[in-house]
Amino acid sequence: MSKALPQASDNQLLLVKLITGIRIMSVDSFIQTMHQVIKSPPPIYQPPSGLNLEVSALELLYFFLISGVSPAQYTDCWSSLYALLKDCLGLQITAQFVALSILNEFVQRCPTMPFSDKKDLRDLHDVTSRLVEAVSNVAGSCLEQTTWLRRNLSVKEEFSSIESTGKDGLLMPSRLLMPSSQHYSIQAQSILANILASLLDVAFSSQEKDKVTTIVTGVMYNIVPYLKTHTVKNIPTFHACSNLLASLSTYQYIRKAWRKDALDLLLDTAFFQMDSRCLPYWKTILDSLMTCDNTTFRDLMNRLPLAQTGTLNIFTSKEQEYEQRALVLKRLAFIIFCSEVDQYHKYMPEIQEQLANSLRLPQVVPLIQSAVFLCFRVLLLRMSADHVTSLWPIIIAEMVQVFLSIEQELLTDTEEFSQHIRMLSGLDTAWVTNTSNGLYSYGHPHWRMVQLETAKLLELGCVLPATILPHFQMYRWAFVSSQNENLHKTGGYDEKKMAFIPHVSRISQLMDLRYTSHSPSINTLQDLYGFFSTLSMRWPSHISYSDTDKDTKQCLEEVEYVLALDFLEKI
């Protein structure tokens, strides 16, 4: 990604060191000198190619301020700095970037901030808003208006052309097809992400925060269209704009400027089509969105349609309502995942009721069932054991049902049968997912996703320490064996001697009879063979499991990382 704030070279740092050694030169005098250089550039004999004197002078001033000036020296130089910054509005784009960085450094370091003098304060607000607007316009320079009657921006198609991949793996936009201002769009977004929120917070006093909302509203207008565009070619811009929105969301007094846009983006069907590096930003955004009032989270809960009542909108079908319900369930799970432990514990009765209602629909809907299992995994991570006690009977019952269906599929599935089901699936998809036909678990991709989610839920119960999931230890015997010996190598289980064989062991034995190899991907039931086979042989005994704080922390970090990736969808 393009660099955000200016980075000093060795020669520039050496020059700054020499200048700071001139004791008789005040900061105010140096600012005036740089201003004069910018207004009337001196002639340079054989200047190096690519030299921009205006940008170089501003960068020198920036490095001088951050390296060689004590905070006390800032008090008497505002008038000179204001005159310089005001003239920078007419300079080229990169000069405006450095000017905004200089302003931010001054605001953060000046001990008399905010100004007591009304004129100085008015000048500060004026130059701040104008510089932010200028950089914001550069950030939005790759947008175009799609309709004539109302303001509706979208990313220009030519901006989406790709030239190469940057050093950090992010795709870099092509510079061959774009006007000059569009070269710097991502850099402008990155600069705003780094300094905008803190700059506005210090420059405007508590009595003037309404002005900040106006400024941020203008910035949001230029970044939201990028966040609505979920394409591979838009990854660098999406990353930069997500970072910017995350930085703004930490200041709740400007919540009005971004709340609606953030909620709309969350409910977009393509919301999870993003690069994994954007997830930390969205965890910050959504946590800020939900925690500062009691209505936003409840509004999301109320969006779950009560499909069990049988009421249908005349403009939607059952399938559309089920898809909408699954969409909201997944977003509900992600919001809880973005929270702290027990942050939403007071909503647990309502959450549990909604999950139970989703499982009691007139027909079993695999898309919804997968979303419910994802919610189960998140709740087990984000709620303490006492708050999920009543949830365990539902979890266990649903897991058993899925594992029984897997066993049934393994017992009855033949090549001729599978071919017949695939043929029927091609003729009528709804028939295959309908539970009334008795074949709802066979071969359909949505049902395969339910099986995968169930396996992941069981894996979570097996991986997490007993101190975190104490209730699961009472149900563990139903799924995995506590015996340490490898029963597969000794001929398997003797059903006459054992009253009950755990589900994983039964499924593993059936798979041993049918399959001969493990698969690295998950497309068919055979692809889960490796999971069941390994778990049936290598389940760690709860007696020898170490529940030290270090092990628990490392385990939770790994589990949360994997769970976060499970939310993402292919771009």
Side-chain angles (χ1 to χ4, degrees), residues 372-380 392 394-396 398-399 403 450-464 469 472 531 566:
V372 170
F373 277 111
L374 181 62
C375 286
F376 286 158
R377 292 163 63 197
V378 172
L379 289 173
L380 294 180
W392 277 110
I394 302 175
I395 294 176
I396 299 303
E398 293 300 319
M399 290 175 64
F403 287 141
V450 174
Q451 295 170 346
L452 177 60
E453 285 294 335
T454 309
K456 289 179 178 180
L457 181 57
L458 176 59
E459 179 194 33
L460 183 70
C462 294
V463 168
L464 288 181
L469 296 182
F472 178 73
F531 169 78
D566 282 345

Side-chain angles (χ1 to χ4, degrees), residues 72 85 92 101 117 213 383 412 437 448 538:
L85 295 176
Q92 63 168 285
S101 302
D117 184 84
T213 302
M383 299 292 171
T412 60
N437 60 32
R448 200 65 71 211
R538 299 181 182 178

Side-chain angles (χ1 to χ4, degrees), residues 181-398:
S181 64
Q182 297 177 29
H183 291 182
Y184 305 102
S185 175
I186 298 176
Q187 186 177 352
Q189 296 155 11
S190 301
I191 289 173
L192 291 175
N194 275 275
I195 67 178
L196 178 61
S198 58
L199 169 63
L200 297 179
D201 185 55
V202 178
F204 292 82
S205 62
S206 57
Q207 292 80 21
E208 299 162 318
K209 297 304 184 185
D210 56 324
K211 297 179 181 178
V212 177
T213 302
T214 303
I215 295 173
V216 173
T217 300
V219 173
M220 291 296 296
Y221 177 72
N222 283 317
I223 69 168
V224 169
Y226 295 112
L227 295 173
K228 290 181 178 179
T229 306
H230 298 267
T231 62
V232 174
K233 300 172 183 179
N234 192 54
I235 286 177
T237 308
F238 188 93
H239 183 273
C241 291
S242 297
N243 187 10
L244 173 54
L245 182 54
S247 66
L248 293 172
S249 68
T250 56
Y251 295 89
Q252 290 302 322
Y253 59 84
I254 54 175
R255 175 186 175 84
K256 181 181 177 181
W258 58 267
R259 178 187 180 276
K260 182 181 182 301
D261 289 321
L263 191 58
D264 290 343
L265 290 168
L266 171 66
L267 295 174
D268 185 2
T269 55
F271 172 73
F272 288 108
Q273 296 176 17
M274 67 176 76
D275 185 78
S276 60
R277 283 165 289 191
C278 298
L279 278 176
Y281 300 136
W282 281 98
K283 288 183 68 175
T284 301
I285 295 166
L286 295 180
D287 188 42
S288 301
L289 177 66
M290 296 292 166
T291 53
C292 292
D293 63 54
N294 296 323
T295 61
T296 308
F297 184 78
R298 193 171 294 279
D299 288 345
L300 183 72
M301 292 283 292
N302 292 336
R303 288 176 181 266
L304 285 167
L306 299 178
Q308 72 275 10
T309 62
T311 57
L312 287 175
N313 189 307
I314 61 174
F315 298 107
T316 61
S317 64
K318 274 189 176 182
E319 287 73 19
Q320 288 174 318
E321 288 202 1
Y322 291 156
E323 288 178 3
Q324 180 66 19
R325 190 182 188 94
L327 180 146
V328 178
L329 279 172
K330 186 173 182 180
R331 279 140 187 82
L332 174 66
F334 188 64
I335 287 170
I336 298 173
F337 178 72
C338 295
S339 67
E340 300 295 329
V341 175
D342 286 339
Q343 183 173 321
Y344 294 109
H345 73 89
K346 63 180 180 180
Y347 296 102
M348 268 304 295
E350 298 174 55
I351 295 172
Q352 183 171 329
E353 181 183 4
Q354 291 291 358
L355 295 179
N357 289 339
S358 298
L359 295 170
R360 288 199 299 262
L361 295 175
Q363 69 182 61
V364 179
V365 183
L367 201 61
I368 291 179
Q369 201 168 1
S370 298
V372 170
F373 277 111
L374 181 62
C375 286
F376 286 158
R377 292 163 63 197
V378 172
L379 289 173
L380 294 180
L381 273 178
R382 286 293 180 264
M383 299 292 171
S384 57
D386 293 341
H387 294 132
V388 293
T389 302
S390 60
L391 195 64
W392 277 110
I394 302 175
I395 294 176
I396 299 303
E398 293 300 319

Side-chain angles (χ1 to χ4, degrees), residues 471-485:
H471 296 91
F472 178 73
Q473 312 313 312
M474 296 187 294
Y475 303 102
R476 181 176 61 86
W477 60 271
F479 301 102
V480 293
S481 173
S482 60
Q483 301 181 41
N484 293 324
E485 64 270 16

